[in-house]
Amino acid sequence: MPVITAIDLVYDYGARRAVDGVSLALERGELVALIGPNGAGKTTLLSMLAGVLAPTTGAAVTHGRVGWVPQIGAVYSRLSVAENLRFFARLEAVPDAEAAVAAMIEQMELGERRAEPVGRLSGGNRQRVNVGIGLLGAPAALLLDEPTAALDPLQRERLWGFIHRFVATGTAVLFSTHDMEEAGQRPDRVLEMVDGRLV
Amino acid sequence: MRSRGRVLGWVMIKDLAILRRSPLLVGILVLYPVALALIIGLALGAPTPRARVAVYTGVPAGHGRVQLGGTAIDIGAYTRELSGSITPVRVPSVAAATADVRNGVTEAAIIVPADIVAQVESLVRNGVGTPTVRLILDNANPIERDLVSAQIQTRIDQVQAAIAKALLATALTDLHTVVAGGQLSFAGANVDLLGLSRARRIVAGAIPQLSRTALGGRLGPPLRRVVSFADIAIEGLSFASPVLGQLQNPLTVARTSLTAVRTPTAAYAVAIAVTVSELFLAMLLAASLLALERSEQVYARLVRGPAGPVLLLVAKLLLAAAAAAAVTFVMSAVVSVFVPLSWGRVELWVLVLLVAGLAFAALGVALGAVAREVAAASLLAILVGLPVAFLALIPPSAISTGLGNAVAVISFLFPFKAALGATAAALTGGGSGLALTLVHLLGLALAFGGLARVALRRFAAAA
Ligand SMILES: Nc1ncnc2c1ncn2[C@@H]1O[C@H](COP(=O)(O)OP(=O)(O)OP(=O)(O)O)[C@@H](O)[C@H]1O
Ligand SMILES: [Mg+2]
């Protein structure tokens, strides 16, 4: 059974149709790239899959927890790495939040920075916290919106290494990018999006 | 339900942690009301001036003396002394005294009626009579009323004690004369009083003659003197005893209260300072905390989880209201060092500050929902808060009726005026219809909370 199934999703920003009838299925352990130019509707589609936007028509059905990592670092810059993770772990009712936070900090290799305010971290580390929050509570699927757009090649590699480890444990990952190079991260499938449609 | 409560708690704890890391913001939020409280305190904290009290006395000058046996008591002097710890304002009539209190020219009025001398005399001679001093107090400011009343009562007690002492001295002199004999002024004539001891000596001297001779004309005169002395002594004691009984409280104080049209200035100024502080504190805090979720781009992440937009709004509302109420409560406590506030109703202060805080915070989240950044939200809160407070403070007499109606409607639709009324009532102990005002504030809190919900749906949907 797919972890996420989208059926004929449509989203209109007023008169502007951003997503125009998208259907897709995401299976366990799959790494799928969603590629398309600026304004193609990638963010809007991922937001509907994450349940952040209610589709104008169509439906997205999910099985199990879905982690979501927005394009812009959705973290509290005044809170520390550990505090950010702890807050979202509690909010998502992750069992044994403290242990989950400690494990995530270890996996993200942020042990030395755990008490530092996120606002003082480098862009790469901040993005790792952002992704880490999406991965709290071992989600069945992870939606990543341009996860490495702002990172240099080294940070990019580190982050992808980190994501691949989760894919290996069975997490389904759907990530958007407008960068063909990013699609070179050995995805199982590539979905191409233009003007709100999959081509 | 329980898990929603827990989520609410975590959101608030998180916000507190963020505030703790924002010393500049918190510093401004705390320093601002503290500075305001200090300014108010300094402005009002000059040593409490003596209460202005209208004094009318119906006793013409020089006619205030009561003759008691050999002593005279000057009632006029005592009533003048009543004004010792106040600033007396002489007025020509009872009506003028009442009008002064009603118009707030004075805080109270003392009225000494013309018959007070006759009443004291009657009390002393016959044991009947109620010399009465009238006291008119202002109900509008219960704190000042009690203060003035207490000040005047202290004076009255002193005067009572002085009169009582004089009466006692007179009574004792008379009693002494009754015992020892001598001149006594009685019923307008000077009587040569034999005195108990001399009478005893006469009777004692008559006893040997009585034993030697038979009853006869020689015994008549001394026995008659003994009899008449007995008459006078009985009469004298009969006037002394009721006087002694009345000595403790020779004066009656008749208290009347009326409600002055003016508002008690000092306590009202405190209420204004407290309410203005709470308005800005609650609005700024609520607007900033909500806008912060969006400026950090966390809003979407939050509302897709168990913390929906309504829960998020409630968290901001509660935190901002509680923080604003706490700070303004401390502020009131500090100011109460300078200005008497009714501590007896402290639980009412807390209730009013919380409800007013909720209404202000609701206005704050409604603005915060429109703004994407903390700075924009703060600016919006100040831009809206200032005129709301300013409009509510315009005295109705200062503007035309049409404009006044518009101002009244705006003041009704925003929480400031109601909050000010409730705060003033809670702090000073006055105020009927407080329950209704609190309901009004809660209604406004709900309305602005609802507006915030709509604004979030409209402005934050795709954030
Ligand atoms: N809040 C909004 N209001 C109105 N139109 C919007 C809004 N957000 C996005 N759009 C429009 O919807 C279309 C799709 O936008 P979306 O952000 O989903 O594209 P995208 O593929 O993620 O682009 P990018 O690669 O730049 O992130 C664009 O034309 C954009 O202008
Ligand atoms: Mg995008």
Side-chain angles (χ1 to χ4, degrees), chain B residues 20 41 49 98 107 320 369 389 393:
Chain B
R20 236 188 5 249
T98 312
E107 269 117 56
L393 290 173

Side-chain angles (χ1 to χ4, degrees), chain A residues 11 13 50-53 66-70 72-80 83 87-88 90-93 129-131 133-134, chain B residues 7 10-15 17-23 292-293 296-307 316 461-463:
Chain A
Y11 195 89
Y13 290 104
V52 175
L53 285 183
V66 175
W68 176 60
V69 180
I72 309 149
V75 285
Y76 295 103
S77 50
R78 282 185 202 275
L79 296 185
S80 71
E83 283 169 330
F87 173 63
F88 285 102
R90 284 168 166 174
L91 217 59
E92 300 284 346
V129 177
N130 190 17
V131 174
I133 290 170
Chain B
V7 170
W10 284 324
V11 171
M12 288 166 73
I13 289 169
K14 182 266 299 172
D15 283 341
I18 291 176
L19 285 177
R20 236 188 5 249
R21 307 282 159 71
S22 318
L292 177 111
E293 303 288 8
E296 299 264 38
Q297 311 285 335
V298 193
Y299 179 78
R301 188 168 240 169
L302 277 183
V303 295
R304 75 180 283 264
K316 312 298 175 198

Side-chain angles (χ1 to χ4, degrees), chain B residues 71-312:
Chain B
T71 0
I73 294 178
D74 188 353
I75 300 289
Y78 286 122
T79 55
R80 276 193 294 282
E81 235 180 87
L82 271 182
S83 33
S85 51
I86 53 168
T87 302
V89 179
R90 298 271 160 199
V91 290
S93 66
V94 176
T98 312
D100 273 2
V101 179
R102 195 178 304 287
N103 299 327
V105 177
T106 63
E107 269 117 56
I110 297 174
I111 291 162
V112 181
D115 71 344
I116 192 159
V117 176
Q119 290 284 340
V120 171
E121 252 164 4
S122 163
L123 177 68
V124 167
R125 298 228 184 286
N126 315 317
V128 245
T130 41
T132 304
V133 176
R134 272 184 67 198
L135 187 55
I136 300 176
L137 297 162
D138 170 14
N139 251 343
N141 184 348
I143 294 164
E144 275 182 24
R145 183 191 64 197
D146 294 349
L147 211 71
V148 170
S149 179
Q151 275 174 1
I152 293 175
Q153 186 61 57
T154 310
R155 275 333 269 191
I156 285 173
D157 288 345
Q158 287 166 358
V159 170
Q160 303 239 57
I163 294 180
K165 217 171 124 193
L167 288 177
L168 193 61
T170 309
L172 285 177
T173 309
D174 288 355
L175 278 178
H176 179 78
T177 314
V178 166
V179 174
Q183 295 287 318
L184 182 67
S185 160
F186 186 68
N190 264 357
V191 179
D192 178 27
L193 208 61
L194 174 67
L196 261 179
S197 44
R198 272 200 280 165
R200 193 174 152 275
R201 231 179 296 133
I202 290 167
V203 175
I207 288 171
Q209 295 175 359
L210 261 177
S211 63
R212 266 188 270 116
T213 62
L215 291 160
R218 278 193 294 164
L219 259 179
L223 277 177
R224 269 199 301 282
R225 286 193 73 187
V226 172
V227 170
S228 75
F229 159 65
D231 288 346
I232 291 170
I234 287 161
E235 220 178 317
L237 287 172
S238 75
F239 97 70
S241 50
V243 168
L244 290 173
Q246 294 288 327
L247 282 184
Q248 294 312 310
N249 299 299
L251 282 182
T252 305
V253 179
R255 280 188 176 70
T256 327
S257 290
L258 55 82
T259 303
V261 284
R262 99 215 133 95
T263 1
T265 42
Y268 196 69
V270 174
I272 291 175
V274 165
T275 313
V276 169
S277 291
E278 190 170 28
L279 169 87
F280 285 113
L281 258 172
M283 277 184 75
L284 281 170
L285 208 51
S288 313
L289 285 176
L290 184 60
L292 177 111
E293 303 288 8
R294 295 178 58 203
S295 74
E296 299 264 38
Q297 311 285 335
V298 193
Y299 179 78
R301 188 168 240 169
L302 277 183
V303 295
R304 75 180 283 264
V310 173
L311 188 143
L312 213 56

Side-chain angles (χ1 to χ4, degrees), chain A residues 37-44 46 71 145-146 176 178:
Chain A
N38 288 129
K42 306 181 294 293
T43 297
T44 308
L46 289 180
Q71 190 165 352
D145 199 357
E146 307 203 27
S176 76
H178 52 253

